[in-house]
Amino acid sequence: MIANATHHISTALRIGLVSMFFIGPVAGFAASQAGPDKAGMKGAGLVIFVSLQRNR
């Protein structure tokens, strides 16, 4: 039973590390490209912002 749990934990850890290895650089690049001046309110972002402000 403990060996089975250890196997599942190690598999989940490997999946997480591989995901961070491949997705991390893409997310970092996207975050560096989306500065405060480029994050304009238009389209769906504006609709979500207005609906969240309305629910306060």
Side-chain angles (χ1 to χ4, degrees), residues 13-45:
L13 186 62
R14 286 181 190 159
I15 290 171
L17 288 173
V18 169
S19 297
M20 285 188 340
F21 180 74
F22 286 111
I23 296 173
V26 175
F29 178 74
S32 70
Q33 294 297 314
D37 55 338
K38 294 183 181 178
M41 288 289 178
K42 55 186 172 186

Side-chain angles (χ1 to χ4, degrees), residues 2 9 11-13 23-24 32 37-38 40 42 46 48-49 52:
I2 292 179
I9 291 171
T11 301
L13 186 62
I23 296 173
S32 70
D37 55 338
K38 294 183 181 178
K42 55 186 172 186
L46 177 63
I48 293 171
F49 178 74
L52 288 174

Side-chain angles (χ1 to χ4, degrees), residues 1-11:
M1 172 127 169
I2 292 179
N4 195 16
T6 305
H7 177 69
H8 288 305
I9 291 171
S10 67
T11 301

